[in-house]
Amino acid sequence: MQDVVRTEGTTDPAFLQKHGLNASSVPTEFVEALFPRHEHKINNKKAFSMAQLCEWTNVKAVKLSNGGEHYKNYNHNRDYFTPKDIRQMLGLYVVNGISHSPSIEMKFDKADLANGNEFVQRNVSCARFKLFKSFFACQDPTLGIPPKREHGNWFVKPIIDWLNCVSANAWLLGPNASVDEQTIAFKGRSGMKQRIKYKRAGDGFLCDALCDNGLTYQAFFRNEPSPRKYRRMGLSPLHSRTMALFDALDDCYTRIWMDNLCMSAKFARTAFQHDKKVLVAGVARKSRGVPKCIIQIEPKD
């Protein structure tokens, strides 16, 4: 081993060694590391896995099929889903993202030469996929649903928390990173969707993200309430969410670059007072407490 200065973000060698990943690993091995199939624990608590999604989906299926709206569609012999089923069904959405069809059900149509997929037809049942769409759960269905203003992403919270967790475990940030907003474009109906007039992507799911070298290291969705401990310090909801992103940093004096949406003199001072001594930089608006001595004259002609 040789100690060198890390000049840019890179994959954590400990994460690669733990999961046996290298340049010769196939895509499914990377998927297994990021979205484990089998049950596992972190700090003696069940962590996110396909097995956990499978458990929640089966519980929801039983609850809805016992005299519920799907009573006739669910097998009385309890044809439970398996982690492999969940992984296959989610894989269908990946396939549809690569080769898009108006409806995923079209992949099962042998007569449809444009959208039909022989590999999908050979490995997955269309009837099984329809049951999956009816019963799939990303949250424990036995828990009570909290108020929307307190947990805007309640039904997908476990997977968001896991993505933030596994990203921090798999990546070592470099000396420079960036914070900006990200949009997941969405045209359907959803209570989580937000109206976005100033972006070409249109309406969708909006979050503030800490990124490095093409990787989203942490994300904080805007329909979630801002952390109270930062709101009490007098910060705006935007700056409170950004400070929450800094809580995931491992090293001190990381330089965070951002645009004029986030920058202000008060925020820069508060970021440096953070435990990790975060150094923020970027273009700021005149109204954000910037000293007059460094304000540039705007060209008019």
Side-chain angles (χ1 to χ4, degrees), residues 142-159:
T142 62
L143 298 178
I145 301 176
K148 194 173 183 180
R149 61 184 179 182
E150 296 180 7
H151 295 281
N153 295 322
W154 172 253
F155 293 106
V156 292
K157 189 176 185 301
I159 191 171

mmCIF file of all heavy atoms in Angstrom, residues 142-159:
data_model
loop_
_atom_site.group_PDB
_atom_site.id
_atom_site.type_symbol
_atom_site.label_atom_id
_atom_site.label_comp_id
_atom_site.label_asym_id
_atom_site.label_seq_id
_atom_site.Cartn_x
_atom_site.Cartn_y
_atom_site.Cartn_z
ATOM 1 N N THR A 142 -47.380 -2.499 7.284
ATOM 2 C CA THR A 142 -47.980 -2.630 8.613
ATOM 3 C C THR A 142 -47.832 -1.353 9.439
ATOM 4 O O THR A 142 -48.440 -1.237 10.503
ATOM 5 C CB THR A 142 -47.334 -3.799 9.383
ATOM 6 O OG1 THR A 142 -45.934 -3.537 9.570
ATOM 7 C CG2 THR A 142 -47.505 -5.105 8.621
ATOM 8 N N LEU A 143 -47.021 -0.402 8.967
ATOM 9 C CA LEU A 143 -46.832 0.845 9.693
ATOM 10 C C LEU A 143 -47.932 1.841 9.347
ATOM 11 O O LEU A 143 -48.446 1.856 8.221
ATOM 12 C CB LEU A 143 -45.464 1.456 9.359
ATOM 13 C CG LEU A 143 -44.229 0.625 9.723
ATOM 14 C CD1 LEU A 143 -42.969 1.352 9.271
ATOM 15 C CD2 LEU A 143 -44.178 0.355 11.218
ATOM 16 N N GLY A 144 -48.264 2.687 10.296
ATOM 17 C CA GLY A 144 -49.237 3.732 10.035
ATOM 18 C C GLY A 144 -48.652 4.806 9.141
ATOM 19 O O GLY A 144 -47.446 5.081 9.182
ATOM 20 N N ILE A 145 -49.490 5.420 8.324
ATOM 21 C CA ILE A 145 -49.032 6.450 7.398
ATOM 22 C C ILE A 145 -48.976 7.793 8.125
ATOM 23 O O ILE A 145 -50.000 8.270 8.617
ATOM 24 C CB ILE A 145 -49.966 6.544 6.178
ATOM 25 C CG1 ILE A 145 -50.019 5.196 5.462
ATOM 26 C CG2 ILE A 145 -49.481 7.631 5.220
ATOM 27 C CD1 ILE A 145 -50.984 5.156 4.308
ATOM 28 N N PRO A 146 -47.812 8.413 8.248
ATOM 29 C CA PRO A 146 -47.692 9.695 8.957
ATOM 30 C C PRO A 146 -48.230 10.843 8.109
ATOM 31 O O PRO A 146 -48.492 10.671 6.913
ATOM 32 C CB PRO A 146 -46.180 9.815 9.173
ATOM 33 C CG PRO A 146 -45.589 9.086 8.021
ATOM 34 C CD PRO A 146 -46.523 7.950 7.723
ATOM 35 N N PRO A 147 -48.381 12.032 8.696
ATOM 36 C CA PRO A 147 -48.838 13.189 7.916
ATOM 37 C C PRO A 147 -47.902 13.495 6.747
ATOM 38 O O PRO A 147 -46.684 13.369 6.869
ATOM 39 C CB PRO A 147 -48.829 14.332 8.951
ATOM 40 C CG PRO A 147 -48.948 13.647 10.269
ATOM 41 C CD PRO A 147 -48.229 12.342 10.121
ATOM 42 N N LYS A 148 -48.485 13.892 5.641
ATOM 43 C CA LYS A 148 -47.713 14.133 4.431
ATOM 44 C C LYS A 148 -46.714 15.274 4.601
ATOM 45 O O LYS A 148 -45.628 15.250 4.025
ATOM 46 C CB LYS A 148 -48.677 14.448 3.285
ATOM 47 C CG LYS A 148 -48.058 14.383 1.922
ATOM 48 C CD LYS A 148 -49.117 14.541 0.857
ATOM 49 C CE LYS A 148 -48.528 14.407 -0.528
ATOM 50 N NZ LYS A 148 -49.571 14.555 -1.573
ATOM 51 N N ARG A 149 -47.067 16.271 5.411
ATOM 52 C CA ARG A 149 -46.168 17.406 5.583
ATOM 53 C C ARG A 149 -44.924 17.031 6.373
ATOM 54 O O ARG A 149 -43.894 17.726 6.308
ATOM 55 C CB ARG A 149 -46.898 18.534 6.288
ATOM 56 C CG ARG A 149 -47.411 18.193 7.681
ATOM 57 C CD ARG A 149 -48.214 19.331 8.278
ATOM 58 N NE ARG A 149 -48.717 18.974 9.603
ATOM 59 C CZ ARG A 149 -49.483 19.770 10.336
ATOM 60 N NH1 ARG A 149 -49.818 20.953 9.852
ATOM 61 N NH2 ARG A 149 -49.900 19.378 11.527
ATOM 62 N N GLU A 150 -44.982 15.934 7.124
ATOM 63 C CA GLU A 150 -43.834 15.481 7.898
ATOM 64 C C GLU A 150 -42.983 14.467 7.135
ATOM 65 O O GLU A 150 -41.770 14.408 7.325
ATOM 66 C CB GLU A 150 -44.296 14.870 9.221
ATOM 67 C CG GLU A 150 -44.991 15.854 10.144
ATOM 68 C CD GLU A 150 -45.439 15.202 11.438
ATOM 69 O OE1 GLU A 150 -45.073 14.010 11.655
ATOM 70 O OE2 GLU A 150 -46.152 15.846 12.224
ATOM 71 N N HIS A 151 -43.614 13.653 6.293
ATOM 72 C CA HIS A 151 -42.898 12.631 5.505
ATOM 73 C C HIS A 151 -43.494 12.600 4.109
ATOM 74 O O HIS A 151 -44.345 11.774 3.790
ATOM 75 C CB HIS A 151 -43.002 11.253 6.167
ATOM 76 C CG HIS A 151 -42.326 11.154 7.502
ATOM 77 N ND1 HIS A 151 -40.967 10.995 7.629
ATOM 78 C CD2 HIS A 151 -42.808 11.226 8.759
ATOM 79 C CE1 HIS A 151 -40.643 10.953 8.915
ATOM 80 N NE2 HIS A 151 -41.736 11.089 9.617
ATOM 81 N N GLY A 152 -43.042 13.541 3.262
ATOM 82 C CA GLY A 152 -43.592 13.627 1.914
ATOM 83 C C GLY A 152 -43.282 12.431 1.047
ATOM 84 O O GLY A 152 -44.021 12.111 0.126
ATOM 85 N N ASN A 153 -42.165 11.749 1.326
ATOM 86 C CA ASN A 153 -41.755 10.585 0.523
ATOM 87 C C ASN A 153 -41.883 9.294 1.320
ATOM 88 O O ASN A 153 -41.060 8.387 1.177
ATOM 89 C CB ASN A 153 -40.305 10.752 0.049
ATOM 90 C CG ASN A 153 -40.145 11.913 -0.898
ATOM 91 O OD1 ASN A 153 -41.006 12.170 -1.725
ATOM 92 N ND2 ASN A 153 -39.050 12.635 -0.767
ATOM 93 N N TRP A 154 -42.901 9.190 2.149
ATOM 94 C CA TRP A 154 -43.027 8.069 3.074
ATOM 95 C C TRP A 154 -42.995 6.730 2.356
ATOM 96 O O TRP A 154 -42.330 5.784 2.784
ATOM 97 C CB TRP A 154 -44.316 8.200 3.877
ATOM 98 C CG TRP A 154 -44.647 7.008 4.714
ATOM 99 C CD1 TRP A 154 -45.630 6.083 4.491
ATOM 100 C CD2 TRP A 154 -43.972 6.586 5.906
ATOM 101 N NE1 TRP A 154 -45.618 5.124 5.465
ATOM 102 C CE2 TRP A 154 -44.608 5.407 6.358
ATOM 103 C CE3 TRP A 154 -42.900 7.092 6.640
ATOM 104 C CZ2 TRP A 154 -44.205 4.730 7.492
ATOM 105 C CZ3 TRP A 154 -42.495 6.416 7.771
ATOM 106 C CH2 TRP A 154 -43.139 5.248 8.198
ATOM 107 N N PHE A 155 -43.691 6.592 1.237
ATOM 108 C CA PHE A 155 -43.840 5.291 0.578
ATOM 109 C C PHE A 155 -42.555 4.830 -0.119
ATOM 110 O O PHE A 155 -42.449 3.659 -0.482
ATOM 111 C CB PHE A 155 -44.996 5.332 -0.419
ATOM 112 C CG PHE A 155 -46.335 5.482 0.237
ATOM 113 C CD1 PHE A 155 -47.021 6.681 0.197
ATOM 114 C CD2 PHE A 155 -46.907 4.427 0.935
ATOM 115 C CE1 PHE A 155 -48.250 6.823 0.818
ATOM 116 C CE2 PHE A 155 -48.132 4.556 1.560
ATOM 117 C CZ PHE A 155 -48.808 5.769 1.505
ATOM 118 N N VAL A 156 -41.603 5.713 -0.330
ATOM 119 C CA VAL A 156 -40.327 5.319 -0.954
ATOM 120 C C VAL A 156 -39.140 5.700 -0.067
ATOM 121 O O VAL A 156 -37.993 5.644 -0.525
ATOM 122 C CB VAL A 156 -40.173 5.962 -2.351
ATOM 123 C CG1 VAL A 156 -41.179 5.391 -3.320
ATOM 124 C CG2 VAL A 156 -40.298 7.481 -2.277
ATOM 125 N N LYS A 157 -39.405 6.091 1.161
ATOM 126 C CA LYS A 157 -38.333 6.546 2.053
ATOM 127 C C LYS A 157 -37.226 5.513 2.258
ATOM 128 O O LYS A 157 -36.035 5.866 2.257
ATOM 129 C CB LYS A 157 -38.918 6.961 3.402
ATOM 130 C CG LYS A 157 -37.929 7.655 4.330
ATOM 131 C CD LYS A 157 -38.607 8.116 5.607
ATOM 132 C CE LYS A 157 -37.641 8.918 6.485
ATOM 133 N NZ LYS A 157 -36.445 8.166 6.868
ATOM 134 N N PRO A 158 -37.543 4.204 2.443
ATOM 135 C CA PRO A 158 -36.457 3.230 2.640
ATOM 136 C C PRO A 158 -35.448 3.191 1.494
ATOM 137 O O PRO A 158 -34.240 3.072 1.738
ATOM 138 C CB PRO A 158 -37.206 1.899 2.767
ATOM 139 C CG PRO A 158 -38.539 2.271 3.309
ATOM 140 C CD PRO A 158 -38.869 3.578 2.651
ATOM 141 N N ILE A 159 -35.928 3.301 0.264
ATOM 142 C CA ILE A 159 -34.984 3.215 -0.860
ATOM 143 C C ILE A 159 -34.179 4.502 -0.987
ATOM 144 O O ILE A 159 -32.985 4.466 -1.336
ATOM 145 C CB ILE A 159 -35.725 2.891 -2.177
ATOM 146 C CG1 ILE A 159 -34.706 2.539 -3.263
ATOM 147 C CG2 ILE A 159 -36.610 4.018 -2.636
ATOM 148 C CD1 ILE A 159 -35.310 1.990 -4.524
#
